[in-house]
């Protein structure tokens, strides 16, 4: 989804296959709520499998945790990197992260299938949202802020990434990114409670 604003501002929203894939691996390996931002477990929950045998020769679970957090940091910094996923069969993106590379190799098929299912679900929900006019919520908040301030919104660009997260909330990553649980957009009051303060900061 893309919510285009006026000449002075723009909100680009969508989902991220790469971030969904990463979160599947995090939860599958039982790493807990780690990374910055430390977003909640995925929804629907995935089966947790003990990763110790898979990553033992690559530094074990402590190394896996460090490597996953580094990967998550890169994904967040790149606003989710669009639809790019690790490349089978050798996953060269993780050549410097051997524990993560081994985990990805062990669970690539299930992680990919789960990610594709979540992407399809998000696209179906997005079609319904566009039909119902729900995508206007960002614009409504900006226009309300403009009326409150008595001036046009400042020039800003906000990247919004919706993810299948169990906690209905948002995570603001300064200065220009917002991660939303995919259910948040459909709960107008809760959506407003999280997003309105962000609009007040950037607009």
């Amino acid at each position: 989804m893309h919510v285009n604003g006026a000449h002075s501002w723009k909100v680009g929203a969508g989902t991220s296959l790469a971030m969904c894939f990463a979160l599947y691996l995090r939860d599958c390996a039982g790493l807990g709520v780690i990374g910055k931002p430390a977003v909640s477990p995925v929804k629907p929950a995935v089966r947790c499998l003990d990763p110790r045998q898979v990553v033992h020769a690559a530094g074990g679970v402590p190394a896996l945790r460090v490597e996953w957090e580094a990967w998550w940091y890169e994904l967040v910094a790149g606003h989710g990197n669009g639809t790019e996923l690790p490349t089978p069969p050798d996953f060269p993106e993780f050549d410097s992260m051997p524990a993560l590379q081994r985990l990805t190799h062990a669970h690539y098929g299930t992680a990919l299938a789960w990610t594709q299912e979540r992407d399809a679900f998000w696209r179906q929900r997005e079609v319904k949202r566009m039909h119902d006019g729900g995508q206007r919520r960002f614009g409504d908040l900006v226009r309300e802020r403009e009326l409150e301030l008595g001036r046009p919104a400042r020039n800003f660009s906000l990247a919004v990434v919706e993810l299948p997260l169990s906690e209905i909330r948002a995570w603001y990553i300064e200065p220009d990114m917002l991660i939303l649980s995919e259910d948040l957009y459909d709960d107008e009051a809760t959506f407003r409670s999280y997003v309105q303060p962000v609009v007040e900061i950037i607009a």
Side-chain angles (χ1 to χ4, degrees), residues 49 58 71 79 91-92 106 109 143 156 170-171 176:
L49 301 170
W71 180 32
H79 295 164
F91 311 107
R143 283 183 283 276
F156 74 83
W171 292 260
D176 61 353

Side-chain angles (χ1 to χ4, degrees), residues 148-172:
E148 180 183 344
L149 295 172
R151 62 162 174 81
R154 288 192 290 260
N155 184 25
F156 74 83
S157 179
L158 183 66
V160 178
V161 180
E162 289 187 85
L163 297 172
L165 302 171
S166 58
E167 188 177 357
I168 302 177
R169 59 161 292 185
W171 292 260
Y172 177 46

Side-chain angles (χ1 to χ4, degrees), residues 113-131:
W114 186 90
T115 298
Q116 290 174 334
E117 287 175 3
R118 301 321 304 161
D119 181 62
F121 179 82
W122 181 86
R123 291 177 185 280
Q124 291 172 2
R125 174 176 276 184
E126 178 64 3
V127 169
K128 182 178 185 301
R129 187 183 296 160
M130 292 180 68
H131 180 266

